[in-house]
Amino acid sequence: MTRTRPTISDVARAAKTGKTSISRYLNGEKHLLSQALLARIEQAIADLDYRPNQMARGLKRGRTRLIGLIIADITNPYSVDVLSGIEAACREKGFTPLVCNTNNEVDQELHYLDLLRSYQVEGIVVNAVGMREEGLNRLQQSALPMVLIDRKIPDFACDVVGLDNTQAATTATEHLVSQGFEAMLFLSEPLGTVNTRRERLAAFHHTLSHHPGVIAQNAEVTLHDSERLDNALRQFHTAHRGMRKAVITANGALTLQVARALKRIGLHWGADIGLLGFDELEWAELAGVGITTLKQPTWQMGYAALEQVVKRIEGSQDAVREQVFSGELIVRGSTSR
């Protein structure tokens, strides 16, 4: 038989007291209760294995202390690190995160937005990198306190936390110049309206405009179009045969696909071609001679995003702000002379 979940009335009966005293105990007003009564209540809760219905209590007080997290792709190491920072800040500030992985599917994005509203979350943190326009529009209409991570939404005034893309891409490009590379290919997923990709590409071209002797190219590939990726890399390598050349990838997921593509077409990073990727990856130091990366402070970014949404929940009327973090270049064999 299914065991009936104990209620506050059951606890009161077992502790030989009224429901008011149990409510005071659960609401942290223990100073109003005698030590003997406290002991009886604690014993009754332990004996019955009583667990308060936090949702019901929150709704009664007008607070759920729930934060919704919408993640475009939870398999991306970037997202995992961001989530870790968010979760740490939630724990410290007494909130519970509800994590929704949309897997870059527009139907899931809309479903989770509606679901989070039905749970009466107090705020939302969104990593909207893969979100479609319909999902972004629904976000704008939600009127909940919200912070975006790593992507701005055009014409939407909202707090944003992300990397200083111009500084990071400039640092990465200047490093390749200093290592004597004569031709560079910036590879990204389709630019669309994604400001992170556009800002990194713009900084790449701007930096190389000051080095007219260096060839600057860029190409867009979808993440799992291996044939197009192989062709782009093969053509770049063939067109600049005899020159020192390198590829910059705009994110960690693409770095992995480029590493696989180079293996398929028989090129070795470090020896035949340089390789530098945005996002630090656990395996980057172990792959061949090691892959140079531009590390983002992802944990800190997640923590800062949660701090900002809590400020909005608590009524902050400060102007919308963009918090940018500096990246760190980690040099390995793939770009060394």
Side-chain angles (χ1 to χ4, degrees):
M1 294 179 62
T2 303
R3 182 183 175 188
T4 302
R5 181 173 178 171
T7 67
I8 192 170
S9 296
D10 297 326
V11 176
R13 193 177 303 113
K16 297 181 173 60
T17 187
K19 290 193 292 184
T20 300
S21 295
I22 306 302
S23 293
R24 285 173 174 168
Y25 176 91
L26 295 174
N27 290 326
E29 299 173 347
K30 299 179 183 180
H31 61 284
L32 299 176
L33 308 174
S34 69
Q35 289 301 313
L37 181 53
L38 278 174
R40 294 205 307 275
I41 292 173
E42 288 169 355
Q43 188 62 51
I45 287 174
D47 291 345
L48 295 171
D49 192 26
Y50 174 71
R51 297 289 183 271
N53 186 326
Q54 298 293 350
M55 180 68 72
R57 294 179 68 212
L59 292 174
K60 187 176 181 180
R61 296 193 303 268
R63 296 290 304 273
T64 62
R65 302 201 74 79
L66 296 175
I67 300 288
L69 309 179
I70 298 180
I71 304 299
D73 180 9
I74 205 168
T75 64
N76 189 325
Y78 171 93
S79 298
V80 174
D81 289 342
V82 167
L83 277 175
S84 179
I86 291 172
E87 194 276 332
C90 278
R91 193 166 57 242
E92 180 179 303
K93 297 180 182 301
F95 284 84
T96 299
L98 294 182
V99 182
C100 301
N101 174 41
T102 70
N103 200 33
N104 290 324
E105 296 176 7
V106 66
D107 289 343
Q108 286 295 92
E109 292 161 3
L110 300 177
H111 166 70
Y112 281 134
L113 281 171
D114 292 337
L115 184 68
L116 290 175
R117 281 202 295 268
S118 74
Y119 275 98
Q120 297 190 32
V121 296
E122 297 190 34
I124 301 180
V125 177
V126 184
N127 175 9
V129 168
M131 292 191 75
R132 313 302 198 278
E133 290 304 314
E134 191 176 353
L136 297 177
N137 292 337
R138 189 75 65 92
L139 276 181
Q140 295 178 59
Q141 297 164 11
S142 70
L144 283 167
M146 187 184 308
V147 175
L148 304 177
I149 295 182
D150 201 40
R151 179 176 176 182
K152 304 169 190 173
I153 300 176
D155 305 317
F156 180 32
C158 184
D159 295 313
V160 179
V161 174
L163 183 71
D164 185 337
N165 291 300
T166 299
Q167 173 265 329
T170 299
T171 297
T173 307
E174 289 287 8
H175 166 71
L176 294 179
V177 171
S178 72
Q179 295 302 301
F181 287 99
E182 304 161 283
M184 299 182 202
L185 172 66
F186 185 97
L187 274 178
S188 72
E189 294 174 71
L191 296 176
T193 61
V194 182
N195 67 287
T196 51
R197 297 169 190 166
R198 289 184 170 278
E199 289 170 6
R200 292 170 191 178
L201 177 60
F204 165 76
H205 280 300
H206 179 74
T207 301
L208 290 185
S209 69
H210 299 291
H211 302 280
V214 178
I215 297 170
Q217 295 181 222
N218 66 280
E220 301 173 33
V221 293
T222 55
L223 204 54
H224 300 294
D225 188 347
S226 56
E227 183 178 355
R228 179 174 172 79
L229 180 56
D230 290 359
N231 288 336
L233 292 169
R234 192 182 289 113
Q235 289 171 11
F236 175 68
H237 180 259
T238 302
H240 307 295
R241 194 177 299 278
M243 301 178 69
R244 186 161 164 76
K245 50 198 166 292
V247 175
I248 300 181
T249 55
N251 61 49
L254 190 53
T255 302
L256 175 59
Q257 297 307 319
V258 167
R260 287 172 169 164
L262 290 175
K263 185 175 181 180
R264 283 194 299 269
I265 64 178
L267 295 177
H268 300 88
W269 53 84
D272 303 317
I273 194 168
L275 178 58
L276 187 156
F278 274 79
D279 301 334
E280 170 66 346
L281 303 161
E282 286 188 357
W283 52 269
E285 64 178 336
L286 306 175
V289 295
I291 296 174
T292 297
T293 58
L294 197 296
K295 181 179 180 181
Q296 300 193 53
T298 43
W299 190 96
Q300 292 85 347
M301 288 159 62
Y303 192 97
L306 195 282
E307 278 192 317
Q308 184 62 19
V309 83
V310 169
K311 288 179 183 177
R312 295 300 184 191
I313 290 169
E314 293 173 346
S316 171
Q317 298 296 316
D318 292 346
V320 167
R321 62 183 300 213
E322 179 181 359
Q323 295 183 67
V324 293
F325 289 76
S326 296
E328 175 190 358
L329 186 68
I330 300 178
V331 179
R332 299 190 176 100
S334 66
T335 61
S336 299
R337 287 182 182 273

